[in-house]
Amino acid sequence: MNTPNRIEHQMTDKGYVPVYTTAVVDQPWDSYTKTDHEVWATLFKRQRELLPGRASKEFLQTQDEMGMGEHAIPKFSDLNAQLKVKTGWEIIAVEGLLPELAFFDHLANRRFPVTWWIRKPEQLDYLAEPDLFHDLFGHVPLLMDPVFADYMEAYGKGGVKAHSLGPEALSQLTRLYWYTVEFGLINTGEGLRIYGAGILSSKGESIHCLESNAPNRIGFDLLRVMNTRYRIDTYQKTYFVIDSYQQLFDATLPDFIPYYEQMAGRESTPAGQVLDSDKVFNRGTGEGWLHDGDV
């Protein structure tokens, strides 16, 4: 079997430019090198030592339940055997970043795309795009949680619809994914905890999002989130806090078309702004913030 392509962003004089692929491939597990497995082990051990007391208990429990460990890069087929029984989801191996519609279609059909390749040793602390560690370690465990799994399917179906409505609706729905699935916090009886994969797979942001006074931590409100810009190149200025995964699922049940109509033409909210209507867990000091580049 030929090893699938490794599709990465390209560096140009304008910075990193994303390169997209739609290919679904077989995980080339036998082609992983000793270095690949060592990178996985280093990252896995580092995050699992850091996350108790920071990550949501559902994340830690489901990751343990799947048998995901540091000894080697997991085989997607082994994880799928459990996922399909528990929630009907499956992992599919992809070569890199997917176009939006292809990504939404996979989610709508309970398929989660996981980049087959893992970052290089010199990229341990930062990579400009999702790789196997981010996708597998950060995203996959919570697909074992039935309510969160339902939310992800509902989000995918909403994404397919938003894609047909135009760029403004798509941008608003993308913000929902960013501030929940990637960078979400959850309020628990033990305090705020992390469930967003972008945080869970990052050593620095796992600490920053909970312990730094710089960012805002604000209660989740659907339209507020969908109208709020974000940063892709630094830690987040604002984190939104849900009460439960059920809250997320319930938020995706209504038809979003009236929401898009309500927000049409409205000026979006800067990433670091706190509104009078917000439920504020922490009003950030803004220390270290960059003042341009929100998307």
Side-chain angles (χ1 to χ4, degrees):
M1 181 181 70
N2 293 327
T3 302
N5 293 314
R6 177 179 179 133
I7 307 296
E8 299 180 73
H9 290 9
Q10 298 298 312
M11 175 60 84
T12 71
D13 56 358
K14 296 181 180 179
Y16 278 106
V17 174
V19 180
Y20 296 94
T21 174
T22 58
V24 175
V25 299
D26 292 327
Q27 182 193 22
W29 196 88
D30 290 338
S31 74
Y32 290 131
T33 66
K34 179 183 177 182
T35 298
D36 291 333
H37 290 295
E38 287 174 347
V39 168
W40 169 268
T42 298
L43 291 168
F44 187 97
K45 183 178 180 181
R46 184 171 78 176
Q47 287 306 105
R48 280 304 303 244
E49 289 175 350
L50 183 67
L51 290 175
R54 292 187 173 96
S56 72
K57 66 179 186 297
E58 293 85 3
F59 171 82
L60 297 172
Q61 289 170 355
T62 52
Q63 194 173 65
D64 288 343
E65 184 180 347
M66 299 185 86
M68 201 179 286
E70 67 180 77
H71 58 282
I73 294 172
K75 293 182 178 179
F76 296 177
S77 57
D78 292 344
L79 301 180
N80 278 338
Q82 301 176 71
L83 271 172
K84 288 180 180 179
V85 170
K86 191 71 179 285
T87 60
W89 276 80
E90 66 174 321
I91 300 164
I92 56 170
V94 296
E95 295 181 317
L97 195 64
L98 295 176
E100 289 160 334
L101 185 57
F103 179 67
F104 293 143
D105 182 69
H106 284 309
L107 297 187
N109 290 282
R110 293 198 174 227
R111 300 185 298 262
F112 192 84
V114 174
T115 306
W116 73 264
W117 51 266
I118 196 163
R119 67 193 68 181
K120 301 178 177 72
E122 62 269 22
Q123 298 171 313
L124 287 182
D125 292 319
Y126 179 74
L127 190 64
E129 61 211 296
D131 73 331
L132 182 144
F133 183 76
H134 168 82
D135 289 341
L136 200 58
F137 181 96
H139 282 289
V140 168
L142 277 178
L143 294 175
M144 293 276 284
D145 182 274
V147 179
F148 191 82
D150 287 346
Y151 168 66
M152 291 292 284
E153 178 189 0
Y155 180 88
K157 291 178 177 177
V160 172
K161 181 181 290 187
H163 192 273
S164 69
L165 296 176
E168 187 175 23
L170 190 58
S171 177
Q172 290 159 350
L173 196 71
T174 298
R175 292 170 185 153
L176 178 61
Y177 190 91
W178 185 268
Y179 278 121
T180 60
V181 179
E182 292 290 359
F183 291 95
L185 300 178
I186 185 169
N187 194 20
T188 74
E190 295 77 40
L192 300 187
R193 295 292 185 267
I194 305 162
Y195 73 93
I199 310 175
L200 291 166
S201 58
S202 166
K203 177 184 177 182
E205 197 145 7
S206 294
I207 298 169
H208 176 84
C209 71
L210 296 176
E211 298 175 27
S212 172
N213 287 323
N216 304 311
R217 301 178 188 92
I218 295 173
F220 175 86
D221 175 89
L222 180 65
L223 298 189
R224 167 72 161 100
V225 170
M226 292 174 69
N227 201 51
T228 304
R229 304 197 297 270
Y230 58 85
R231 302 282 316 192
I232 63 173
D233 57 351
T234 66
Y235 296 153
Q236 299 307 298
K237 295 178 178 180
T238 296
Y239 300 95
F240 288 96
V241 182
I242 62 171
D243 296 323
S244 66
Y245 302 125
Q246 189 66 46
Q247 180 187 23
L248 277 184
F249 178 65
D250 291 345
T252 59
L253 284 179
D255 184 348
F256 274 27
I257 290 180
Y259 298 153
Y260 297 135
E261 292 174 346
Q262 182 179 339
M263 290 187 289
R266 182 191 298 183
E267 186 175 349
S268 58
T269 304
Q273 186 171 336
V274 176
L275 306 180
D276 291 341
S277 57
D278 288 337
K279 176 183 178 181
V280 179
F281 289 85
N282 181 76
R283 185 181 292 268
T285 64
E287 181 181 359
W289 286 1
L290 300 177
H291 297 292
D292 59 357
D294 290 359
V295 297

